[in-house]
Amino acid sequence: MATLCRPSVSVPEHVITMEETLELARTHHADHPQLPLALRLIENTGVRTRHIVQPIEETLKHPGFEERNKLYEAEAKARVPAVIQRALDDAEVLTSDIDVIIYVSCTGFMMPSLTAWLINEMDFSSTTRQLPIAQLGCAAGGAAINRAHDFCSAYPEGNALIVACEFCSLCYQPTDLGVGSLLSNGLFGDGIAAAVVRGRGGTGVQLERNGSYLIPKTEDWIAYDVRATGFHFLLDKRVPTTMEPLAPALQDLAGTHGWDAADLDFYIIHAGGPRILDDLSKFLQVDPHAFRFSRSTLTEYGNIASAVVLDALRRLFDEGGAEHRARGLLAGFGPGITAEMTVGRWVQDGGITR
C-alpha cells in the first residue's frame, strides 16, 4: 500500500500583494475598456499575496522566450534540490531509495528533463526511472500522485519522488489584454513542491484508488497558445462552471470504493479559484471548512498550478494530520478539462488498513 508522505514546499522571496497587483493593472491598462471588470475579478480571487522568482519590475519586462526559458532552467536548478532533500528527509528515505522521479511543470521547457540533471546532481541511482509530465497544467499535481501510486502498485517495494516546479510569472505576456489574461496576472504565483510516495511504510495518505475524468469538448477552455514570445495563457469564461460536471466524477470514484464523497474526513483539492471551491462544496454537499487547506494556499500563494495539491496536503500535515484510518479525497483539475483524483486513508508509520 503506497503512502504519500509529507510534501516539502518552497516559494520565492519576491512578494506581490493584492493591492500592488490592482495598482499595476490600473497603471498599465488605464484605458482598457474592461478594466473595472478585470479589477473586480482579481479582487474576488481572494489572493492576498503571491511569490515570484524576480522582482516585479523585472517580471513586467519581456526579454523574449529564449531568455525566459534560460531563467526557468537556472531558477529550477538553484531551488529544486533543497526542496527535494527536505521531502526525502521527511519521508526518511535516501536518494538511493528512489526508483522513479515524476517531474511536473507547465511553465518552462527542458530536454533532457530536469530529472536527468537531478539524477546526476543529487546522486540518484543511474537506474532511476524518469517521468516528466509537461502538458497537464494544474492537473499535473494530481496526475503525479496517481502515476506514483500506479508505479508503487506495480512495484510494491519501490519508492517514487514527485517534483512540481512552477514559475507562472515567467509566462506573463504584456501584450495579452483579454479579461482572462488580466485575471490570470492577478491569480497565478510561483512555487516548488516535492513529496515521496513510499511503497512500504511512511506517515501520510495511503493511496487506495485513483482515476481520471475529462469533460468532453472542453479542450480549448484552458490552453496555451504557443508563439514566438512563449506561452500565452488562454482562459475561457466557462471554466468556473466546471465543478458541476466534475463533482459526479469525484462521487463515482469514491462510490466505486464504497465511500460517500460527501462524508469523508479530509479533502485536498486544487484551488484554481474561490468559485471552484465554492461550487465543489455545493455540488458535493461538503462543508466549506473542509477546503480550508486549499483556500489557505490560494490566499497566501495564489494559484501555484501543479504544486497546489501538494501545498494543501502540507497544510494538513502542519495541522497535525488526521486520525489514523481517516478517509480522504485528493483532486487536481486542469486543461482538458481534466480531473485527476485519488482516495485514500491517513496512516501513521505505514499502518496497514483494511
Side-chain angles (χ1 to χ4, degrees):
M1 300 290 282
T3 300
L4 174 57
C5 300
R6 180 189 182 93
S8 169
V9 180
S10 176
V11 291
E13 60 277 15
H14 304 290
V15 179
I16 180 169
T17 66
M18 166 73 79
E19 291 72 22
E20 290 169 329
T21 298
L22 294 171
E23 184 56 33
L24 284 169
R26 295 187 190 101
T27 302
H28 286 260
H29 306 293
D31 298 327
H32 195 292
Q34 293 181 289
L35 179 62
L37 172 61
L39 294 176
R40 187 166 67 252
L41 291 173
I42 292 171
E43 284 186 291
N44 289 341
T45 62
V47 177
R48 305 314 309 172
T49 53
R50 292 175 293 147
H51 294 248
I52 51 181
V53 293
Q54 301 179 97
I56 187 60
E57 56 270 20
E58 294 299 319
T59 301
L60 294 174
K61 298 175 184 177
H62 197 324
F65 179 60
E66 179 181 353
E67 290 303 313
R68 279 189 169 176
N69 205 61
K70 286 180 179 178
L71 183 60
Y72 169 90
E73 180 175 345
E75 292 289 347
K77 289 179 176 179
R79 298 173 186 271
V80 167
V83 181
I84 289 176
Q85 190 58 58
R86 286 197 301 272
L88 296 172
D89 292 344
D90 287 340
E92 299 182 319
V93 298
L94 306 173
T95 54
S96 57
D97 297 318
I98 297 299
D99 299 283
V100 61
I101 302 174
I102 303 169
Y103 179 79
V104 295
S105 181
C106 64
T107 51
F109 183 81
M110 294 173 61
M111 190 171 74
S113 164
L114 188 72
T115 51
W117 181 85
L118 289 169
I119 289 170
N120 288 309
E121 183 71 15
M122 297 188 69
D123 295 324
F124 289 94
S125 169
S126 59
T127 61
T128 305
R129 297 165 176 86
Q130 303 174 65
L131 180 56
I133 301 175
Q135 294 165 309
L136 276 178
C138 296
I145 293 170
N146 288 354
R147 300 296 75 80
H149 180 201
D150 293 343
F151 180 86
C152 290
S153 297
Y155 302 95
E157 301 298 328
N159 298 301
L161 172 66
I162 297 167
V163 183
C165 177
E166 302 289 14
F167 300 140
C168 301
S169 65
L170 298 182
C171 296
Y172 169 70
Q173 298 290 351
T175 61
D176 288 355
L177 300 178
V179 172
S181 295
L182 296 181
L183 170 60
S184 71
N185 293 340
L187 176 63
F188 287 94
D190 299 347
I192 299 167
V196 172
V197 175
R198 289 181 50 168
R200 293 279 186 264
T203 292
V205 182
Q206 193 170 81
L207 307 172
E208 298 189 11
R209 184 183 297 270
N210 70 63
S212 302
Y213 182 78
L214 183 142
I215 305 175
K217 307 300 182 183
T218 58
E219 64 267 26
D220 58 347
W221 289 19
I222 301 175
Y224 272 163
D225 186 11
V226 183
R227 306 177 197 167
T229 46
F231 304 137
H232 290 248
F233 185 68
L234 305 178
L235 182 67
D236 191 279
K237 64 182 180 181
R238 292 170 290 183
V239 169
T241 68
T242 51
M243 288 306 101
E244 185 170 6
L246 287 181
L250 297 173
Q251 291 166 333
D252 288 347
L253 179 70
T256 301
H257 204 56
W259 295 358
D260 180 357
D263 186 30
L264 300 178
D265 301 300
F266 62 90
Y267 296 82
I268 305 299
I269 305 295
H270 172 75
R275 170 78 182 273
I276 297 295
L277 298 175
D278 291 344
D279 280 2
L280 197 56
S281 172
K282 170 186 172 183
F283 293 120
L284 283 184
Q285 296 183 313
V286 171
D287 189 319
H289 182 67
F291 300 141
R292 62 192 179 279
F293 307 115
S294 303
R295 289 190 188 278
S296 294
T297 296
L298 186 64
T299 300
E300 297 174 22
Y301 295 161
N303 183 343
I304 50 175
S306 64
V308 168
V309 169
L310 294 173
D311 185 67
L313 178 59
R314 187 264 305 177
R315 293 170 188 270
L316 171 58
F317 272 91
D318 287 350
E319 193 177 80
E323 293 293 325
H324 185 60
R325 294 177 58 84
R327 300 172 303 159
L329 169 70
L330 296 84
F333 312 118
I337 298 289
T338 302
E340 291 283 343
M341 311 160 288
T342 308
V343 291
R345 297 179 189 266
W346 186 270
V347 295
Q348 298 287 339
D349 299 321
I352 301 300
T353 62
R354 302 194 187 281

